[in-house]
Amino acid sequence: MIVNTRAIVIDDTTLRDGEQSAGVAFTQDEKRAIAIDLAALGVPELEVGIPAMGAEERDSIRDLSGLGLNAALLVWSRMHERDLKLCAGLGVNMVDLSLPLSDQQLRYKLGWTRAQALAAIRRCVPQALDLGLDVIVGGEDSSRADPDFLLCAAETAQAVGARRFRFADTLGIMEPFGVLALFQRLRAALDLELEMHAHDDLGLATANTLAAAVGGATHVNTTVNGLGERAGNAALEEVVLGLRKLYGFQVDVDLSRFPALSRRVAAAANRPLSWHKSLVGEGAFTHEAGIHVDGLLKHPLNYQGVDPAELGRSHRLVLGKHSGLHAVRQFYHDLGIVLDDHQASALLQRVRAFVGRAKRPPEIFELEAFHHDLERALLSSLEPAPSLEAFS
């Protein structure tokens, strides 16, 4: 593990970009509960909405700001005077003023030149500061921007008083080595905070976020369970543990109560977690294979890369096609049943046959039934055959 003394700040956007996932709409009660849970874990910054969406959204933001959470709240806005004015009086600390920086989006989305983009930064950032808001300049589609122009935009943001520059891999097309190089260049040239906003279209959102931190990012965007537009964003749980365990960064977020928040967000978004989702999926700490179970029972570190207790979880053993005799004995021992070699072997065959038919591990009551059937068969085989006199 690389040891870093630097702290990385999590800016979670579950309530903004997470809710932008197609078909997702949180109720206000759900938003409040999610915000409270995030703050309770120690997440220091929460992006909580888009004021230009309308009066209902602004009321929602005011309500969240009224909770008095121990977290800074920020909102997202286009780099536009009309939208910016709607961010005032909401009780939030900061605004992310976003504009495209790639030539593709500048030309074909806004019809702007690069010079117009820089002019917008010079014009809008001071206006936001006058409203009493700290400013993030969000570079939409930064990953497709010309690197020299990207740096120029960030330098312009710094010169007019922005606190932070957000590099957005809007389409999720970056890879970690390229992210590392870009952030090293930005860090060498700039004094303001740098933030990474990653999407998971190529399955690299967490890897790109970690690379940005190594390259000099001070802040990173996350969402609970990786919820977000299209393939999602960098997952809070993956980023926190990755930063801490792989690189030794200081990240003051306590994940020991994370499973409840994970379930809350999955239910509110109506986006069930896949069985094998890293860290929070049901299968993440579930073991069946005989060699793994045997090693785990001998010492957890034999097959434990992440201690599940860090996420308020524990290892779960199941019996299945790939289980061995040791696992069968241990499982039944935990049920208060001691098996000899013959019984363990017979029950293992019964388990394997069951899983082949049912396509799932047996439940406790089914395992108890298997043992009951075995005992009944054994007793039947031990009963003496009736004598002939019994029929005379």
Side-chain angles (χ1 to χ4, degrees):
M1 180 181 74
I2 302 170
V3 178
N4 291 277
T5 58
R6 188 159 55 89
I8 301 292
V9 176
I10 302 295
D11 172 7
D12 189 85
T13 185
T14 301
L15 294 174
R16 198 276 295 178
D17 209 342
E19 195 187 28
Q20 285 180 214
S21 182
V24 173
F26 298 139
T27 67
Q28 189 60 22
D29 285 343
E30 289 167 340
K31 289 182 179 181
R32 289 168 63 96
I34 291 168
I36 290 169
D37 283 355
L38 284 166
L41 297 183
V43 177
E45 293 186 2
L46 308 179
E47 191 170 39
V48 295
I50 306 173
M53 283 181 58
E56 184 177 350
E57 179 83 348
R58 293 192 291 276
D59 288 342
S60 169
I61 294 166
R62 287 191 191 92
D63 178 64
L64 295 177
S65 68
L67 294 175
L69 300 175
N70 186 28
L73 303 186
L74 54 145
V75 292
W76 187 95
S77 173
R78 291 178 296 183
M79 186 78 70
H80 191 286
E81 291 90 336
R82 182 178 63 251
D83 288 7
L84 174 57
K85 290 177 181 178
L86 298 173
C87 300
L90 301 180
V92 299
N93 308 87
M94 192 180 309
V95 60
D96 171 30
L97 289 175
S98 179
L99 83 166
L101 292 181
S102 68
D103 292 332
Q104 169 69 36
Q105 288 200 3
L106 281 172
R107 179 177 178 183
Y108 294 104
K109 180 180 175 180
L110 299 184
W112 283 12
T113 64
R114 292 183 181 183
Q116 286 175 296
L118 297 178
I121 294 173
R122 295 189 190 98
R123 183 174 63 252
C124 290
V125 170
Q127 291 174 352
L129 294 173
D130 288 342
L131 294 175
L133 297 169
D134 285 336
V135 179
I136 303 169
V137 169
E140 185 178 3
D141 206 18
S142 289
S143 44
R144 292 195 295 176
D146 174 77
D148 291 336
F149 177 64
L150 179 74
L151 179 56
C152 181
E155 288 174 333
T156 301
Q158 178 175 283
V160 293
R163 170 177 168 177
R164 187 182 309 166
F165 177 76
R166 175 183 289 180
F167 182 107
D169 183 20
T170 304
L171 300 182
I173 58 172
M174 289 295 290
E175 47 77 32
F177 301 103
V179 171
L180 175 64
L182 277 169
F183 269 81
Q184 286 173 331
R185 183 184 183 192
L186 292 171
R187 182 72 286 154
L190 300 165
D191 294 323
L192 78 175
E193 298 170 348
L194 296 176
E195 183 169 85
M196 179 62 180
H197 179 90
H199 280 268
D200 206 36
D201 297 74
L202 293 176
L204 294 172
T206 294
N208 286 335
T209 301
L210 299 180
V214 173
T218 56
H219 294 67
V220 292
N221 279 160
T222 63
T223 60
V224 175
N225 301 336
L227 183 68
E229 292 187 278
R230 304 183 312 279
N233 293 52
L236 169 64
E237 61 278 12
E238 295 174 5
V239 169
V240 168
L241 281 183
L243 289 170
R244 187 182 292 152
K245 296 182 71 64
L246 299 178
Y247 298 103
F249 285 108
Q250 179 185 339
V251 188
D252 295 327
V253 175
D254 178 8
L255 294 177
S256 63
R257 290 183 291 171
F258 185 76
L261 173 58
S262 173
R263 291 190 295 269
R264 184 189 299 280
V265 171
N270 194 26
R271 295 289 184 272
L273 289 171
S274 65
W275 189 87
H276 56 271
K277 167 67 178 70
S278 61
L279 301 178
V280 290
E282 184 181 347
F285 299 104
T286 299
H287 309 266
E288 174 192 313
I291 293 175
H292 284 211
V293 171
D294 179 68
L296 194 69
L297 290 172
K298 289 174 179 174
H299 196 293
L301 292 182
N302 285 334
Y303 285 98
Q304 176 178 286
V306 174
D307 185 350
E310 293 186 57
L311 291 116
R313 303 189 63 185
S314 60
H315 289 291
R316 174 175 174 247
L317 306 183
V318 298
L319 294 179
K321 177 181 178 180
H322 304 94
S323 295
L325 292 175
H326 191 179
V328 172
R329 290 194 194 93
Q330 182 65 45
F331 222 98
Y332 276 94
H333 179 271
D334 292 343
L335 297 177
I337 300 171
V338 178
L339 303 177
D340 60 28
D341 289 347
H342 172 76
Q343 292 171 316
S345 180
L347 287 168
L348 177 57
Q349 296 309 312
R350 180 72 182 270
V351 166
R352 287 175 173 172
F354 174 87
V355 172
R357 294 191 307 270
K359 304 295 184 184
R360 63 171 177 82
E363 301 288 344
I364 297 298
F365 75 92
E366 290 164 327
L367 291 170
E368 291 173 335
F370 297 165
H371 182 256
H372 178 73
D373 291 346
L374 180 64
E375 283 194 316
R376 187 169 57 187
L378 179 61
L379 287 173
S380 177
S381 68
L382 295 176
E383 290 179 358
S387 64
L388 293 177
E389 287 82 357
F391 297 98
S392 60

